[in-house]
Structures are given as structure tokens and as C-alpha cells.
Amino acid sequence: MIRFNWRSFDWLLLVAILMLSIYGVVMINSAVQGDPELTNYPQRQIFYIVAGLVLMFAVAAFDYKFLSFLTEPFYLLVILLLGLVGVLGNRIFGAQSWIDVFGLFPIQPSELAKVALALAMGKYLAYHLDQMDRLRTVLIALLIMLPLLVMVFLEPDLGGAIVLAVEGVFILIAAGLRVQHMVLGVVAGLGLFPFFWGLLQEHQRTRLLIFINPTADPDSYFNVNQALISVGSGGLLGKGYGQGTQSQLHFLRVRHTDFIFSVIAEELGFVGAVGLLLLLFFVLMRLWRIADRARDPFGSFIVVAIAGIVLFQTVVNVGMNMALVPVTGLPLPFVSYGGNAMLSIMMLVGLAESVAMHHRKIEF
Amino acid sequence: MSSRLPDLSTRLLVLRLSTVVIFLALVTQLAVLQFSRGRQYQERALFNRTRVVQTEGARGVIYDSQGRFLARNRALFAVALVPADLPDDPDFAVSLQKRRALYRALLDVLQQAMAEYSPPPTPAPEGLPSFYEVGQSRPPGPSILSLEEIESLVNQRELGSAYQPVLVAENLPREVALRVEEERYRLPGVEVVVITRREYFSGSDIAHIVGYMGPIPQENITTYVERGYPADAWVGLAGLELTYEQTLRGRPGRKVIEVDVNGRERAVIGQEVPPRPGRNLILSIDLDLQKAMRQALEGGIRPLRSHSAVAVAMDPRNGHILGMVSLPTYDNNIFADGVTPEEYREIAEAPGFPLINHAISGIYPPGSTFKLVTASAALQEKVITPKTILNAPGIIYLPNRNFPDNPNLAQPFVCWIYKSGGQHGDINVVYAIAESCDIFFYKVGGGWPVAEFEGLGVETLAYYANLFGFGNLTGIDLPAENPGLVPNTRWKRLAKGEKWVTGDTYNMAIGQGDVLATPLQVTLMTAAVANNGFLYKPEVVAAITDDRGNVIEERGPQLIRELPIDPKWLDVVREGMWLAVNWEGGTAKDIWDPDLRIAGKTGTAEFFDPEIIRDRRGNLPTHAWFTAFAPYEDPEIVVTVFVYNGGEGSLVAAPIAHKILQAYFDIKARRAEAANPAAGDDTPVEETP
């Protein structure tokens, strides 16, 4: 039964997300100036935000409890879609979104895989919480993750695969992963590494190597260097909106997506960048709160997975802009330009809102 | 199950705290970058966006002595595509489509503009190209690439340097280029490029003097780059363009600009240091005389016999070159727009080697013109006096050194007149010059043991030849000069491994044997005789001016040396030259002209060329020489004419020199009249071109 409980809807989370999204549109507008090919990107981003909000409310309207019943078919569907992309997509349409071609909204199967993983792993661990001291439970949880991980990696979407792995680890930690299992996992991972390495193809190895050592790739080295100069030359208040020399003279590449944080730090300075980080921090705090107040572990785990994704992408993207972590194509949640990322993150927030609306009853 | 929830809350607290720590770390790094290292990054951002660019000033212009353009700059308009700025799309097919649409739009604009543009009528060429000119240039018409050519060029370039423009249309009329510029707002990646090239007026008439420009030769790139040239610059490669490269180029300016990541200029920052335009050259050459010299030369030689010929005119009072023609010639405008290596080879290797200025780079036996040196030396060294009379039969037999009494071993030496059965008889130096008596000069040069007459000897003769400028570079301000050769004992031993004999001195005394000289050196010799013994450095550039026309440097006479010869002996030599033209027995009597007061010396120099067969009597082929000055009393012009394989100097070279002298004095009179019309009422005023 669908019961709307809008009083429990986390409106503050929504407000924070809207502020982040609008911040994003404003900065994308600055980033695409002087680039005739990209002039309508701010408008397109607004369209994606609106579409994302619709999707968010639609997902939020579902009691996540019903999703629990749909977990297995949904999991299989995502596997099937990933397989189709692997077989057809690569050959005919390129790696991107073949679903887009059929006129559906542009969500890649790899984004749906995040939802599938949260549901499947969350459901399994919620049922086996009392068996977390057994290695078997952890291994089965990992086996649930493995097919999704492998297929997304083969799509090829290395960033997506890493996000999935991190998402899984967050759920396991929330479920009470034992320290000895964690150590075992790290040791086993290191031990099996040469074996995996042997399985990889040459170009996949190259991609991993560049991920670990970006200076090997002159292009990403250049980009990180320019990002550092952009951020560093911003100062306290920045060079002014639309006045960043690094972004306006295009020294900063992929300004509207990967390096939007550098544009903010350069043009609006420390104040603007910290403001952005505070908004993201607030969003995360609201998500942890929802996870804490969920009525059951399944709901909790779903939100932990979502918060994990948001946290990880934020750290990786902002860290990449400040040369703390290697360069990957991971967007800054809610801020970077991109329909797929926007719809995906809005869908995940919708899921979190669904959990929020059906929270544990706390007596007022 | 709910009993587990407090555990979950604890773990969530850990995750919350981790979030706090992570965000604190991010903010810390942000603060480090923006505050601690802020200055450093601000400097790098400044360095990123600013460039110092060098701007070239306009190259200097070259004028003739009357201020007419010989070389000028011409703007060439071209349209280029910058691959990095072309429309792009992650999808290759879409990207290709967008670009094709752009190419089509550009080609439409170009074609429409070309259709609307009506070119000015091209002047009809002046007569047919001469036998002595190769590679006539046509002004290059507009060239526009096709869509397929553009596509393949852009694709090639994109792999390498995507910011380097690809030329898609060249040599466009200004109007067409402006149209493209107007439409550029809707043609991303399209740029209008202005290239400056040289335009040479009267190209082939004066190509050897003016020269031409081209891309820096591969082997010299480092040298030029060290001097501040961009590696793709054009520099002078021949003629004055080469000698005066530094003068013509001027000083580049510099400005600081703001650039985007592609290096494209967005704004100029601060004060711009403007470039200083190159200096202009004003030549001592009068184009009218130059053209007349070429006409006289072309009209006076037989094309199928002589593959090359030279005429040089110089002012003996200061060494200024008044005209210098070397045939065959070429049109240097060919090089102004660039030539392919094949085209270059075709021109360079054509018969007579058109690119070579034979007046300064060609070395030939000077023949009887050299007798001026022998005569001057003999008078100064008191080997003879003007009154010395030597017997000159048509043929003499030089006794063998080791067996002087055996007539069978004696070596015969003939005079040119002996071929027609004549002889000069008893003769003094003045008439020996006028009649070009070989026997007289054999004896003066090498002595005559039969009469125990002591000659100059090889070393003294060589010494005087060097004084007159033979065997040395004259130092003219043109490239690729050849010093020629004055042989002596040592030279023969080293070069041929043979001993010098009296016969060699005989040959040398009449400018044969191993003596080799450029027509310019012969001109210098005559000038020194004409001006009482001053050897001036020849110069083509008379003055250098700045871009406003102010004279920066005026080139006066530059004395190489004053010859240690008493002027009274040079008087004697000049008298011989006067009689050569103005006495019925002189070798050049056919060009006698009561108005011009010419004095000259003919030369018919034998040479050995395996490709040219001897005549019926087995005589070697001969170059025709004539070197003269005028007016006799107060010389103001020296003319030397050389015709390769021309035959008799008196029959071939002298008439050409006569025509040149006529032209010189005609032009001079015309200019005087134009300057002062009242003085010449009685003659109709001619139009000055």
C-alpha cells in the first residue's frame, strides 16, 4: 500500500540539493562562456534538474518496502541490461547509453546497478545481521556484488565499478563487518592481485596504471596542473564570477563537468568553495540522519549506500581538483553538468526520501 | 532484530565522524592551496595567460637611383582553418557532418565572393619572352582547395598540431578576404591570414642585383634563430636581399598579449614596443640604363653561339655601379611566391646558368684587355719608355732555354694579325695598345733573349695584376663573388707541378694562359686607368634611408688603394686606348663616334671548352671582350662587355659597349633637360619615363 507521509519527507535535504544544483547551473554558465558549442548547457542542466526532481518524487512515493519484494527481478533485469550494453552497445552505439537511442531517459545501466546493489546487498545483510560474525555471510554479500562489478567494469566504466565496490564496502561496514574479516579481505585482495592482473587486457591495465599514476598520462597531468593553478590562484574571494583567467581562457579543460570545483574556487575563491563544501556536508549529514532513523536495517543500508556514493564521489572529484586523488571521470554530485549523473543521483535521493518518509516511529 | 539497531547507530556515528574528518581535510587542502601557495599559483596563472610576441616590421624597399621601386612588399591574403577550433562532437559521425557543413559554408562564401569580384584588367605582356630569360612568372591566381582536400588536410593536421592553421585558399584578392572576415562569426575555426611577400618590379631586368627571398635554408636555421628569426621566416637568399638582409629587415617589436589555452591572442597587455621598419636601399643603378644595357647586349649577341654574356657599367670616380647585366637572366618574382625544388633546379641548371651573376661569379681569361696591366707595369718598372720601339713580326720563335742555338726546338708565338698574314712591324707602346699587338707585349712581359731585351717577368707582372684588383675579391656588396686567378711561379708548381717558363709569361702578358678574371675586375682595371690610378670598391647601394625617407648612410667612394703608378704612364696607356677607337688603325675603329669621345681596349680571349669545336683552321674558340671609358678627357663611365664564345671583341663586344655608352649619354642629356628645360630650347623635350 502506498501511503504518503510528506510530513516526514526531508525538506531540508531537498532544499540543500536544490541550492547545490542551482549553484551548479550558475557555475556551468560561467564555465561555458565563449564556447559556442556549449552555450545552451545551463538550460539543459536546468531541464535535467527538473526531470531529476520529478524522478525523485516518483521514487520517493514508493514505500521502499515494496522494492524489497522486487529486489531479485530488478537485480536480474540490471544484469540483463548490462549484458545487452556489453554485447550490442559496444558494437553498435559505442560504450555510452544505448537506452537513450530507444527514446527512454538517459540513465545508463551502470547507474541502475548502484540501486540494484543497494537493494540486493541491503536485503541479504538485513536478513543475516545476526550472522555477521561468519565469514560466509560476508563472502555471499561480496558474491552478490561481483557480477554487477565485473559487468560495469567491462562496459567499460572503471569509475562506475569503483563506486560500486565502495558502495558495497559502506553497506558491509554499516552491517557490522568484523575487523578480522576486513583485514582478511585486504590481505586476500593483495594476494589475488597478480591473478586479476593476469586476467586483464592491455588497455585495461593501462587504464588502471593511469588511475594510480596520472603523470603517466600527459593529458590528465596537464589538466590537474591547470586545476591546481585555478584553485590556488583564487584566493579568499576569487577573481570574480566569469572573470577566472584559467577557466575563461580555457586553460582548464572539461570545466563544466570534471573541473567545475576549480571554476568555483578560482572565480569565487575560498568563500565560494567552502560554501559549496558546507552544502555537500549538510546533504551527507541529512543522509546519515535518515539512515539512523530508518525503521529497519534494510532501509538503513539503502541510505548508507547512497550516502557512501555521494561521499565517495565528492571526495574523489574535489580531491582530484586539488591533486589529492588520481583523475577519474567521476562528477561532483548535484553540481557537475550531465543528464545521466543528475538523474541518477536524484533517483538515489528519491530512494533515501522514501526511507525517510517511512522512518521508525519516534514518539513526539 | 531491533535490538541490533543501537549497534547500527554506533557504526553510523563512526561514518558521520569520518565525513567530518574528510571534509576538514578537504577544506585544509583548499586553504593550503589558496593561502599558503596562493602567490605561487597566481604567478603561474599570469604566466599561463601572457605571452611575449615578436612583431616583424615591414621589410625595407629597394629603389633605383631615380627613386623607382625595384622591390616592394605585397600583402597576400589567405584563408586558413584551425583544426582545434572546428566544431567537435564526441560522436565521430556527427562531428564529421558538422565540419562538412562548415567547409561547405566557407566554400560558398569564397565562391560567391570570387564571382562578385571583377579583377582589374591584366596588362598585356611586353613582347615575347627573350631567349635569354628563363622561367617567366605569372602572377599566381587564387587557389581554393576542394572539400575533399580540406577534409584530408585537416584530418592529417589534427593528429599532429591541431593549433597550426591549414591554408585552404591562397592568393585571394583583398575584397574576397574581407568578405570571409565578415562572415567569420558563423564560421568557427576559420581565419583570414595576411602574408607579406616581395614584389619585384622590372624583375628579370635587374634580378641578379636585387636577388630574391625564400624560407631559411635547412642548414642555416640555427644561425638565423639565434639572430632572433622565427624558424619559418623568409630571408634574403640572393643578391641585395641577401647582402643587406639585416638592413632590410629592421628591428622586430614586442608586445605582451593575453592568450587562451590555444595561444590565440585575446587582448594586448600594457605598452607595446612597435617594430622598427627595415631600412630602404637606394641603388646607384639607373633602371633606364640597366634596361638599355640589357637590350644592347641581347641585340648584339648570337643566341645559338653564346650561352651567356655580361655588361657592366661603373662610375670611375667613385666605384658606383651604374648598370650590371648578366645573361641569361630570370624573373625573381618566381621566388617571391615560393618554388618547388624541381622548379628551382630547372631554372638553376638551364643553359648558361641563369641564377649565376656572371659579372661577378664568372671567371674567364681577360685576353688583350689585360694588356693595360702589362703596359702600365712595364712603363712604371722602366722596362720600356713611351718611346721604346720593339720589332713585331707576325710570328716569333722563342729559343729553347737549353739549346738556344737549335731553331728546331724554338717555340713559335704568333700575333692575332698573323692569321691574316700581316704584322705590326716596329711599334711603340701606344700603338701596341691601339693595334693590340701581341708580339710587343710578349716581349715586354717575358723579355726577348735574341735581342737581350729584359722583360717584366712573371712575379712583377703578377704583382701589378694584383694591384689592379685581379686575383682578389673586389668587395662589391653582392654575394657569391669569385676572386679569379693571377698565376705565378709558386702557383704553377703547386697547382700543376710544373716549372714556370718564359712562354707562360708570354701568355700571361696578353691575358691568356692561366689568368682568369671576372668582368667586374676588368671594369675596375679600366676605371683605375681612367681615373689616374685609384682602385675603388665597387658598390651597388648608393644610400640607405629610413622608412620616412631620411638618409641614414650615404655611400661615397671607398678607396681600395691608390696604384703606385705614375699618372704620366697611365696617360700613355689612355692614349693607346683612345687611338684604338679614334684612329683608323685601331682595333675598335668601327665604333668611332665623334660625339662620345670613347677610349677602349678590345679583347679576343681564347679558351678551351671540349664542347665547342675549333674552326676550320684549328683555332680555339674565343670570348669577345671590350672595356672602355668616356669621355676621354674627363671619364665618368666605364663599360665592360663580355660575350661568352662571342668571337672577335672588336666585332661583337665593342658595338654593344658603344650602344650602352650612347644610351648613357642620351639618358643623361634627357635628365638634364628635364631638370632644366630652358637650357635646351632647340631640341624637342622628350618624355621621361
Side-chain angles (χ1 to χ4, degrees), chain B residues 265-298:
Chain B
E265 179 174 341
R266 292 292 187 92
V268 179
I269 300 169
Q271 198 67 37
E272 190 177 336
V273 180
R276 194 203 69 196
R279 308 292 196 206
N280 304 324
L281 305 181
I282 299 177
L283 307 194
S284 51
I285 293 177
D286 183 333
L287 195 57
D288 288 348
L289 179 64
Q290 176 81 7
K291 283 181 173 169
M293 285 169 72
R294 179 182 175 186
Q295 259 174 17
L297 199 57
E298 283 191 353

Side-chain angles (χ1 to χ4, degrees), chain B residues 96-112:
Chain B
L96 201 66
Q97 225 169 30
K98 281 184 179 174
R99 289 181 177 195
R100 281 214 181 121
L102 172 81
Y103 302 154
R104 253 182 233 120
L106 173 62
L107 290 176
D108 281 350
V109 171
L110 279 169
Q111 269 145 19
Q112 205 188 332

Side-chain angles (χ1 to χ4, degrees), chain B residues 621-652:
Chain B
T622 55
H623 298 313
W625 285 96
F626 188 67
T627 184
F629 64 87
Y632 177 65
E633 291 76 12
D634 188 13
E636 58 184 79
I637 178 170
V638 174
V639 171
T640 300
V641 172
F642 164 82
V643 182
Y644 190 92
N645 192 27
E648 292 290 325
S650 55
L651 294 177
V652 177

Side-chain angles (χ1 to χ4, degrees), chain A residues 37 130 170 173-176 222 225-226 228-229 231-236 239 245-246 248-251 261 265 269-270 273-274 277 280-281 284-285 288-289 291-292 297 300-301 304 311 314-315 318 322 324 360, chain B residues 1 4-5 7-12 15-20 22-23 25-27 29-31 33-35 37-39 41-42 44-46 48-51 86-89 98 163 188 258-262 266:
Chain A
E37 291 285 291
D130 49 350
F170 265 91
I173 290 171
F222 176 88
N225 220 350
Q226 295 302 332
L228 273 178
I229 295 172
V231 174
S233 61
L236 180 64
K239 298 173 186 168
T245 57
Q246 288 287 107
Q248 299 304 325
L249 297 172
H250 301 187
F251 288 99
F261 180 81
F270 186 72
V274 168
L277 289 176
L280 283 163
F281 179 71
L284 281 163
M285 284 302 142
W288 295 133
R289 181 173 173 274
D292 206 3
S300 234
F301 294 161
V304 165
L311 178 61
T314 302
V315 170
V318 174
M322 299 193 295
L324 287 173
R360 193 162 25 122
Chain B
M1 202 194 278
R4 291 262 169 203
L5 287 180
D7 278 354
L8 182 58
S9 285
T10 320
R11 290 193 288 270
L12 281 173
L15 289 174
R16 277 184 205 202
L17 286 175
S18 316
T19 308
V20 173
I22 286 169
F23 271 76
L26 291 179
V27 172
Q29 170 75 353
L30 189 64
L33 291 180
Q34 297 196 307
F35 300 130
R37 297 197 214 140
R39 187 170 295 274
Y41 283 119
Q42 274 159 19
R44 287 179 64 185
L46 184 72
N48 251 349
R49 70 186 172 96
T50 51
R51 294 276 181 287
L86 291 173
D88 210 354
D89 196 279
K98 281 184 179 174
Y163 303 119
E258 183 177 85
V259 293
D260 65 11
V261 66
N262 299 341
R266 292 292 187 92

